[in-house]
Amino acid sequence: MRLEHVAARAGVGKATIYRRWPSKEALAQDLLSHLASPHIAVAETGNTRDELLAAVTNPMRAVVETDFGPVIRALLSEIASDPSIGDPFRATIVEARRAEVTRVIERGIARGDLRPDADPEVATELLVGPVYFRLMFGGVLDAAFAERVVDSVMRGYSV
């Protein structure tokens, strides 16, 4: 990502971009946050399985049906290797996703649907990790896949 290209595409000068974002990393973080945020929340439905399914389908929709998909694909290697991009991404977007899945797991435990020792951190990785694995390495991201992921987690975490 080059700020010259961003400025040209926006039809503004590079100085205008720098007035709003002090660096390309800050611009990337703002863009990722803007694109990812609408796909993090999981509505409380009273049904643990449905909420776990939303925890999978929300990021799946984000990477398949929105501009977040191409942006995250383009930035994944930088997120992994460049702390100036990766650390803020993990501290905001990844942490928000973890917090949301934690709430889903806690609700499932409170309802008696999930074991009291269900680990929300691992649950996040079990639910969302397969989406990013398929995004990076190929594979269909569809409703049937989401159902299989959730069914696997439910088998492991159910009482």
Side-chain angles (χ1 to χ4, degrees):
M1 179 173 74
R2 301 201 52 180
L3 289 181
E4 295 83 12
H5 297 147
V6 172
R9 184 161 180 182
V12 299
K14 197 167 137 183
T16 302
I17 301 296
Y18 275 112
R19 275 195 293 277
R20 175 109 192 240
W21 297 280
S23 65
K24 78 174 186 177
E25 292 82 10
L27 172 61
Q29 176 60 30
D30 196 30
L31 176 61
L32 286 167
S33 182
H34 173 75
L35 294 172
S37 293
H39 307 283
I40 292 175
V42 173
E44 185 171 354
T45 65
N47 182 303
T48 301
R49 187 177 187 287
D50 289 348
E51 292 176 17
L52 291 171
L53 190 58
V56 176
T57 58
N58 289 355
M60 195 169 74
R61 263 191 236 102
V63 300
V64 171
E65 299 174 9
T66 75
D67 291 336
F68 182 71
V71 170
I72 195 70
R73 267 189 220 90
L75 291 175
L76 272 175
S77 66
E78 288 187 56
I79 289 168
S81 64
D82 184 347
S84 68
I85 293 175
D87 291 349
F89 179 78
R90 284 183 287 279
T92 56
I93 298 160
V94 173
E95 212 36 59
R97 172 97 45 218
R98 285 189 184 284
E100 192 65 13
V101 173
T102 294
R103 285 189 285 279
V104 170
I105 297 299
E106 288 170 349
R107 290 192 301 258
I109 292 169
R111 289 181 195 122
D113 297 333
L114 302 178
R115 294 190 338 244
D117 65 341
D119 184 336
E121 183 177 345
V122 173
T124 302
E125 294 167 5
L126 292 170
L127 293 163
V128 181
V131 173
Y132 284 93
F133 185 90
R134 286 198 172 190
L135 174 72
M136 291 174 54
F137 299 113
V140 176
L141 287 167
D142 61 8
F145 173 70
E147 297 271 349
R148 288 183 13 235
V149 169
V150 170
D151 288 344
S152 296
V153 171
M154 287 294 294
R155 277 192 297 277
Y157 278 32
S158 291
V159 275

